[in-house]
Amino acid sequence: FRLWALLDGVDVPENLIRARTNSPSALRFWRAWHRSYNLWVVRYIYIPLGGAKRQLVSSLVVFTFVALWHDLSFTLLAWAWRMVLVLVPEIVGRSLVPSRVYGQRPWFRHVRALGTVANMFMMISANLVGFVIGLDGVQFVWSQMVETGAGRVCLLQLIVVLFIAAQLMYEYRAEEFRRGIWNAYLGVRAEGMRWRHRAHRSHRPCSSGTIIGSIGAVSDALVHTSSNRAPGDTMGSPAY
């Protein structure tokens, strides 16, 4: 759909710049999911309600609106409210163990991976409530996972597999940072935001020439930044 929009002269945000299964953070996942719709919700609902200053309250209203936008259903409302609960541990964890303070500690990545595993379980449960088996069905699944021997073995296996997956996600990002790809992405993203701001102020839709030029600028920025970074340069770790 974005391709057709670009051909029609409309530059819409690219959805899911990473695969949906390559997102260890619930907050980052929802910022990338359906980004054009997300930007509208943030601009007209989240920010007017206080934004990051009242993050949980603003998120509660946003997810409730999204649920009602899908359909008037109690299961979708339950999904929305559970999604807000999913955000709570991550928000608390970021405030108690910030990466800027503890990011270089050897244990930090493992603790963060365990938090990612908990995030995955909570998001899966919330989606099962809203779109598959409902609240009663999820309660039954968890009762079988916790109260039976086979269920506990399965739960342990899932924790191990998801923990390994989380470690791979973080290693993938660390390798991007070592190669300079992450800094290139940030630079291109900032340039794109400045370009959109200028286009918005001038009220001029993008043309096919502008689109091709933007693609070329992105490629040049990626190549230039990657070539100017030392292979072992690890100034920090990307948060995304």
Side-chain angles (χ1 to χ4, degrees):
F1 294 110
R2 186 171 187 269
L3 173 61
W4 292 113
L6 289 172
L7 292 176
D8 200 33
V10 179
D11 183 17
V12 297
E14 183 176 356
N15 292 322
L16 285 174
I17 57 175
R18 296 187 187 274
R20 68 182 70 184
T21 54
N22 187 13
S23 184
S25 164
L27 291 170
R28 296 286 182 178
F29 174 84
W30 286 116
R31 289 171 186 165
W33 180 267
H34 204 162
R35 290 178 67 207
S36 54
Y37 180 58
N38 176 273
L39 289 173
W40 186 93
V41 170
V42 168
R43 177 178 295 177
Y44 294 108
I45 301 179
Y46 183 78
I47 292 177
L49 289 173
K53 296 180 180 178
R54 304 175 62 192
Q55 192 169 16
L56 289 178
V57 175
S58 302
S59 298
L60 178 63
V61 177
V62 165
F63 274 101
T64 301
F65 172 81
V66 171
L68 295 175
W69 177 76
H70 280 88
D71 193 11
L72 183 59
S73 167
F74 172 75
T75 56
L76 286 175
L77 288 173
W79 164 83
W81 300 333
R82 288 176 71 92
M83 275 300 173
V84 177
L85 292 177
V86 170
L87 302 180
V88 173
E90 184 172 345
I91 294 172
V92 173
R94 288 188 174 195
S95 62
L96 294 179
V97 192
S99 60
R100 65 180 181 276
V101 177
Y102 301 101
Q104 301 302 319
R105 304 289 179 87
W107 51 264
F108 178 78
R109 179 163 158 177
H110 304 299
V111 171
R112 187 166 60 171
L114 288 174
T116 297
V117 172
N119 248 342
M120 292 179 184
F121 277 118
M122 290 187 290
M123 289 193 69
I124 291 171
S125 298
N127 283 320
L128 287 174
V129 168
F131 300 100
V132 186
I133 56 179
L135 187 59
D136 293 337
V138 170
Q139 290 176 343
F140 175 77
V141 169
W142 275 107
S143 67
Q144 295 298 304
M145 296 275 281
V146 175
E147 297 174 3
T148 65
R152 286 191 288 269
V153 171
C154 178
L155 181 61
L156 179 60
Q157 292 172 339
L158 288 173
I159 291 174
V160 172
V161 170
L162 293 178
F163 181 80
I164 295 172
Q167 292 284 6
L168 290 174
M169 292 181 202
Y170 290 124
E171 178 57 30
Y172 188 84
R173 284 155 177 75
E175 180 63 20
E176 284 183 342
F177 194 82
R178 288 190 289 266
R179 291 174 178 267
I181 297 174
W182 178 251
N183 283 351
Y185 164 73
L186 292 179
V188 170
R189 181 182 178 188
E191 179 59 31
M193 293 176 66
R194 289 192 292 267
W195 180 83
R196 285 193 181 91
H197 179 68
R198 292 194 298 267
H200 176 73
R201 293 190 62 179
S202 62
H203 302 285
R204 290 181 300 177
C206 62
S207 62
S208 58
T210 306
I211 296 170
I212 296 173
S214 300
I215 295 173
V218 170
S219 303
D220 292 343
L222 289 172
V223 172
H224 175 74
T225 308
S226 300
S227 61
N228 287 317
R229 289 293 301 275
D233 190 358
T234 55
M235 298 171 57
S237 60
Y240 179 45

